Amino acid sequence: MSQDIVKSPFIQIKHIRKVYRMGNEKVVALNDVSLDIKRGEFVCFLGKSGSGKSTFLNMVAGLEKPTKGEIIIGGVHLEKLDEEEVTLFRQKNIGFIFQAYQLIPSLNAIENVALPLVFRGMSAKQSQKVAKKYLDDVGLKGYYNRKPSQMSGGQQQRVGIARALVGNSKIIFADEPTGNLDSNTTLDVMNIIVDIAKKNNQTIILVTHDNMIADYADTIVELKDGDIINISRPKQNQ
């Protein structure tokens, strides 16, 4: 089965539902969510805590399987892959940007950014060369040898962005990527994410509760209690 992403619509979400069991109770985290996402589109899932947005991200990233429904990326039915297949799929196609950065403390900036390339089999020398380019792209030239403890929160998040983008992953998942940053740093970080992803035609799926972050998106999907309550495409009207 080919796992290359080549078809449009790029991502098809068909009637996914996620139910968690807590003792004898059932908690519906997502309820019959459907959506098509194009290649290169920036989609923001907006909602308060408990709305289902992080559950959605986990489903589409292959971190959890839906209780019902289909998740199709480039013709690949993600929900049908076994654990090894979905891990390989993520390595090849997906990058993650986390709120808490998730950098490895013992590694410097270059080593943190190069790590996904090493996992893909690239040599250490070549992976570090590519990592330097992406660190330059996010404004961290000269910070190559600094470890996370030697950088500010904004600088650490820039390293996280470089790591997510370094392998030219086709999809970038961002989970509250600016949640730990001040407002000025937030704007800088969002501009970097959008500029690089657009240049490389990378699809962004971002979840947030922040309307200011949502304004960067091509499509805003509002969630409440596991349901889509509104879909808007504000940039089409600009």
Side-chain angles (χ1 to χ4, degrees), residues 199-217:
K199 181 175 68 176
N200 295 328
N201 197 30
Q202 292 167 297
T203 301
I204 303 173
I205 297 177
L206 180 147
V207 300
T208 186
H209 65 279
D210 189 337
N211 285 284
M212 183 179 74
I213 302 304
D215 288 342
Y216 282 85

Side-chain angles (χ1 to χ4, degrees), residues 39-85:
R39 179 73 188 268
E41 188 174 4
F42 180 174
V43 181
C44 174
F45 285 81
L46 179 66
K48 297 180 180 179
S49 178
S51 63
K53 60 186 187 298
S54 291
T55 300
F56 178 88
L57 185 147
N58 289 341
M59 299 292 105
V60 183
L63 299 172
E64 296 184 56
K65 290 187 180 293
T67 305
K68 292 182 179 179
E70 299 174 282
I71 301 167
I72 307 167
I73 302 178
V76 177
H77 282 258
L78 203 61
E79 81 282 356
K80 294 182 179 179
L81 301 183
D82 62 29
E83 187 173 342
E84 182 178 353
E85 289 173 327

Side-chain angles (χ1 to χ4, degrees), residues 214-231:
D215 288 342
Y216 282 85
D218 302 309
T219 301
I220 301 172
V221 181
E222 296 178 57
L223 288 172
K224 182 178 180 180
D225 298 330
D227 290 303
I228 293 177
I229 59 171
N230 187 52
I231 298 177

Side-chain angles (χ1 to χ4, degrees), residues 7 13 15 28 38 42 49 57 63 78 81-82 101 112 131 147-148 154 162 165 168 178 181 203 219 235:
K7 296 182 180 180
I13 312 299
H15 304 290
V28 179
K38 298 176 182 178
F42 180 174
S49 178
L57 185 147
L63 299 172
L78 203 61
L81 301 183
D82 62 29
Y101 320 136
N112 266 289
K147 293 184 178 179
L165 299 172
N168 200 23
T178 61
L181 306 177
T203 301
T219 301
K235 292 185 178 180

Side-chain angles (χ1 to χ4, degrees), residues 9-233:
F10 185 46
I11 302 172
Q12 296 171 282
I13 312 299
K14 296 185 176 182
H15 304 290
I16 62 170
R17 176 178 171 86
K18 183 64 177 180
V19 179
Y20 295 101
R21 292 187 178 273
M22 302 180 67
N24 294 325
E25 293 186 21
K26 292 181 180 180
V27 177
V28 179
L30 284 178
N31 184 34
D32 195 23
V33 171
S34 296
L35 186 72
D36 286 346
I37 299 174
K38 298 176 182 178
R39 179 73 188 268
E41 188 174 4
F42 180 174
V43 181
C44 174
F45 285 81
L46 179 66
K48 297 180 180 179
S49 178
S51 63
K53 60 186 187 298
S54 291
T55 300
F56 178 88
L57 185 147
N58 289 341
M59 299 292 105
V60 183
L63 299 172
E64 296 184 56
K65 290 187 180 293
T67 305
K68 292 182 179 179
E70 299 174 282
I71 301 167
I72 307 167
I73 302 178
V76 177
H77 282 258
L78 203 61
E79 81 282 356
K80 294 182 179 179
L81 301 183
D82 62 29
E83 187 173 342
E84 182 178 353
E85 289 173 327
V86 79
T87 297
L88 291 173
F89 185 89
R90 283 198 301 269
Q91 287 181 1
K92 184 176 182 181
N93 297 300
I94 293 173
F96 291 93
I97 303 172
F98 302 97
Q99 178 178 346
Y101 320 136
Q102 301 292 349
L103 304 179
I104 297 176
S106 60
L107 301 183
N108 63 29
I110 285 182
E111 292 165 339
N112 266 289
V113 174
L115 203 56
L117 301 176
V118 174
F119 285 147
R120 294 184 186 184
M122 186 179 290
S123 70
K125 183 177 180 179
Q126 181 62 23
S127 64
Q128 292 197 10
K129 180 179 178 180
V130 176
K132 281 185 179 180
K133 175 188 179 300
Y134 275 82
L135 285 169
D136 292 350
D137 288 346
V138 300
L140 289 181
K141 187 173 184 178
Y143 288 75
Y144 306 145
N145 296 316
R146 293 198 187 185
K147 293 184 178 179
S149 62
Q150 299 170 313
M151 292 183 282
S152 68
Q155 290 165 347
Q156 289 182 66
Q157 190 59 295
R158 290 176 187 230
V159 175
I161 293 166
R163 181 184 57 190
L165 299 172
V166 69
N168 200 23
S169 299
K170 299 175 180 69
I171 311 168
I172 305 301
F173 288 97
D175 188 357
E176 299 280 7
T178 61
N180 289 336
L181 306 177
D182 62 56
S183 57
N184 288 332
T185 307
T186 289
L187 296 176
D188 290 341
V189 163
M190 287 305 304
N191 286 328
I192 290 169
I193 293 172
V194 172
D195 288 348
I196 296 178
K198 290 297 183 184
K199 181 175 68 176
N200 295 328
N201 197 30
Q202 292 167 297
T203 301
I204 303 173
I205 297 177
L206 180 147
V207 300
T208 186
H209 65 279
D210 189 337
N211 285 284
M212 183 179 74
I213 302 304
D215 288 342
Y216 282 85
D218 302 309
T219 301
I220 301 172
V221 181
E222 296 178 57
L223 288 172
K224 182 178 180 180
D225 298 330
D227 290 303
I228 293 177
I229 59 171
N230 187 52
I231 298 177
S232 59
R233 294 178 173 87

